[in-house]
Amino acid sequence: MWESESDAGAERGLVPVRGGSGRHDAVKSDGFVRRDQSWYVNSDIPSDFLVKVGDVSFNLHKYPMISRSGKMGRLIYESAASSSLDPDTTVADLDDLPGGAESFELAARFCYGMAVDLTASNISGLRCAAEYLEMTEDLEEGNLIFKTEAFLSYVVLSSWRDSIVVLKTCEGLSPWAENLQIVRRCSESIAWKACANPRGVRWAYTGASSGGRPPRSGGGGTASPRWNVGGGGDSKESSPSRQAVPPPDWWFEDVAVLRIDHFVRVVTAIKVKGMRFDLIGASITHYASKWLPGLTKDVANGGGGGGGVAEEPWAQVSAGGGLHMIIAGAGGKDDAATSAPAREQRMVVESLISIIPPQRDSVSCGFLLRLLRLAIMLKVAPALVTELEKRVGMQLEQAALPDLLIPSVGRAETAYDVDLVQRLVEHFLVQELTEQVSSSSPGRGGDPEYYSSSAAGAARMPPAGAASASASASSGLNAKARVARLLDSYLSEVSRDRNLSLTKFQVLAESLPESARACDDGLYRAVDSYLKAHPALTEHERKRLCRVMDCQKLSFDACMHAAQNERLPLRVVVQVLFSEQVKISNALAGSSALKAGGGTDGPFASSSSSVAVPATRRQLLDATPQSFQEGWAAAKKDINTLKFELESMKAKYLELQHDMDALQKQVEPSPAAGPGAKMGGGNKAQQPQGPSAWSNGWKKLGRLTKMTGAEGAGPGGHVGTPGGEAARKAQRRWRNSIS
């Protein structure tokens, strides 16, 4: 901790205070003497007032205590009125006195007129004890409340180190320190000094320092901050020394020794005073590394001045009960032994979540994920966990795979919490959609701080808005691509879990839009890993699993691997080969178009496309297993057979169309012939037989078509010409049936 500055060589922070005023000399004493657990006054007059504070007893006199403490006078009066055993000796129990026996000893010395040394370590307890004992100005001018309040205001609050020490000593004085505004005033004093311009702070060095940073107390040197109240940084004292400007994080180490509730008060006050949100986030991360060991990857155990904090008695509390010990014991049998540390850890985590700045990138995504892992293990409030999940979703593209592998807690079937990652992806997509909507809204050309109130600034806003919209769109695509790569790696990792259901895998793989992945190699790797870990999948389930990837987005290496992968369904392998063949055909067509166009891209493009593509096709076919090659040959033969059958059907259709035209010409009467010339010379009795003969003719023609369907296609699938023998026989039969 930074040491308080010296004032003209005197030891500041040690102020002797005397309570006697000359008119209370009836009881003369030379001091206090302790015997075991009892204090006695060196005086010739025997004590008549016994005060018990916890396990410690004080043998005092009534008159000095009554003269300066209103509570003591009231207790003595009530005890004398109610007790009839020994009216000369009064006993008072003060078990609830703030500050304990140490503070009461100092207050008793003050009542006897002895010198009391006020320091930053005892001032808060003594101030609360004076308030408890009602040592006000009504009893005597310059009483203990007045003097302790003056020391707090003029000595403690003007010193950085003293403010830290006093705030630390207030931890055991609740609610007295809160009610007397000691915590608030010290927090605001620390916040004001932390937010001060570093150029206006001069540092006094004693001894050697390393790393350009002032040495810590107890590390071989001292340093103390001094604030130039006038704001002038060009004084003659500081200009010759040419001291380096302290780093912006100079106050992190000192604030990290505070208890979590006081740290929250300090950070809240710093926020109000306008500190940069990234510095606030860095201070929260540093505090978590001290009080939650194992939460951050780079816990500074021996460097960066961490040894100075470890020497403090309150810093050893966090080092004694680490995060791993609590988590390991939380699921054990002796939950009663770890319940109290777990509650403390839970309170720290909940408080840190509540004070993280809302701005994006105020803390790293890795820190948020590790904090989320700990929050789930400690069963933090669901509302805070949901808020933390949203914060992670805001910057999910910055996450790393090890931080995303959060184990499941409770009765979950899978080893990792896949549902949690699904929620994180959903929060990310919602955030991306919100940013797109806000960037595309009219009249907003950027961040509010860049708005211009002038007419020229207003005229320039629409182009800036369009530029910001395009920039946000491109950044959104890049973020989605990074999240897609991260999700593919996560799927490859969790796919080895045999308890991971196909539905969860498929939903997580399809959670991102298709535009997020330019290449599906990572998704194919995850699918292959899932097939390897789940060999009992049916053919339908394997086909369903392979639907999550697009075969056309696979690279050449992935296609080579897929062509040899016997775990994939045959249909998927055929799709992979077909897509690769389409790519090769398109490449050949493009190269031929370039050659026909005169080689607009130069000889390099034509030579590379004409030489490399056929070799690629041969490599792809040679790398295909024999079983898949046979399957592909059978499938190709079936396709050719279907093509031949289609051609034969077309030929039969043309033949029938030709016959129908010929029949229509024969049946239709000519204009010169009278009605009934063809149909029995106008005999009305034969006219009803015309439609039945027509139907019989069509039925015979249909049977003829079925019979000639098999005969029409030869061994090669060719069909006879329309003028064949079968057509002539059908025509004669049709004429005979008509006649």
Side-chain angles (χ1 to χ4, degrees), residues 33-337:
V33 179
R34 181 167 184 171
R35 299 171 187 171
D36 296 334
Q37 294 294 326
S38 300
W39 285 90
Y40 297 91
V41 182
N42 286 333
S43 176
D44 297 336
I45 302 175
S47 62
D48 56 356
F49 187 30
L50 179 62
V51 180
K52 295 181 179 180
V53 183
D55 298 335
V56 183
S57 301
F58 293 87
N59 297 275
L60 307 174
H61 301 85
K62 295 180 181 179
Y63 184 73
M65 302 303 296
I66 293 174
S67 62
R68 294 180 177 85
S69 174
K71 187 176 183 64
M72 291 290 101
R74 189 168 60 257
L75 289 176
I76 293 173
Y77 175 77
E78 293 175 356
S79 178
S82 60
S83 177
S84 60
L85 298 177
D86 189 3
D88 295 334
T89 303
T90 304
V91 180
D93 292 331
L94 303 178
D95 293 334
D96 57 345
L97 184 135
E102 294 81 4
S103 298
F104 184 79
E105 177 197 350
L106 297 177
R109 289 178 182 274
F110 181 83
C111 292
Y112 276 89
M114 302 177 187
V116 178
D117 295 333
L118 300 182
T119 62
S121 301
N122 61 20
I123 186 60
S124 58
L126 190 57
R127 173 67 182 89
C128 296
E131 189 72 21
Y132 177 87
L133 296 173
E134 301 175 8
M135 304 176 70
T136 61
E137 294 295 299
D138 297 337
L139 299 175
E140 182 176 348
E141 186 178 356
N143 210 343
L144 188 57
I145 290 180
F146 173 79
K147 292 188 176 181
T148 53
E149 192 66 32
F151 184 83
L152 277 172
S153 302
Y154 296 103
V155 178
V156 171
L157 298 181
S158 62
S159 170
W160 170 264
R161 179 187 181 277
D162 292 344
S163 300
I164 296 286
V165 173
V166 170
L167 195 56
K168 187 64 187 175
T169 57
C170 289
E171 294 178 359
L173 299 174
S174 298
W176 289 90
E178 291 284 350
N179 297 335
L180 295 175
Q181 305 296 322
I182 299 177
V183 175
R184 181 188 62 79
R185 288 183 290 174
C186 290
S187 301
E188 291 182 353
S189 174
I190 295 171
W192 181 84
K193 294 176 176 61
C195 296
N197 187 1
R199 298 185 180 275
V201 180
R202 292 185 293 107
W203 298 89
Y205 295 94
T206 303
S209 62
S210 61
R213 177 169 179 156
R216 315 295 297 171
S217 61
T222 60
S224 73
R226 293 186 181 182
W227 287 266
N228 294 338
V229 180
D234 54 351
S235 60
K236 295 182 179 180
E237 296 183 11
S238 59
S239 56
S241 60
R242 296 180 181 271
Q243 299 178 6
V245 178
D249 60 344
W250 63 267
W251 51 277
F252 288 2
E253 202 75 35
D254 299 328
V255 177
V257 302
L258 299 175
R259 200 174 63 182
I260 183 60
D261 54 343
H262 295 161
F263 177 76
V264 171
R265 295 287 295 270
V266 171
V267 171
T268 303
I270 289 176
K271 284 183 181 179
V272 173
K273 297 186 182 301
M275 173 69 76
R276 286 162 39 193
F277 65 87
D278 56 339
L279 285 179
I280 296 176
S283 67
I284 294 173
T285 305
H286 185 81
Y287 184 88
S289 68
K290 295 294 182 182
W291 290 86
L292 302 173
L295 180 64
T296 54
K297 294 180 179 179
D298 48 352
V299 180
N301 293 324
V309 179
E311 294 177 358
E312 302 290 346
W314 53 78
Q316 296 176 0
V317 177
S318 61
L323 170 65
H324 300 293
M325 295 178 59
I326 293 176
I327 297 304
K333 296 181 180 180
D334 53 347
D335 293 337

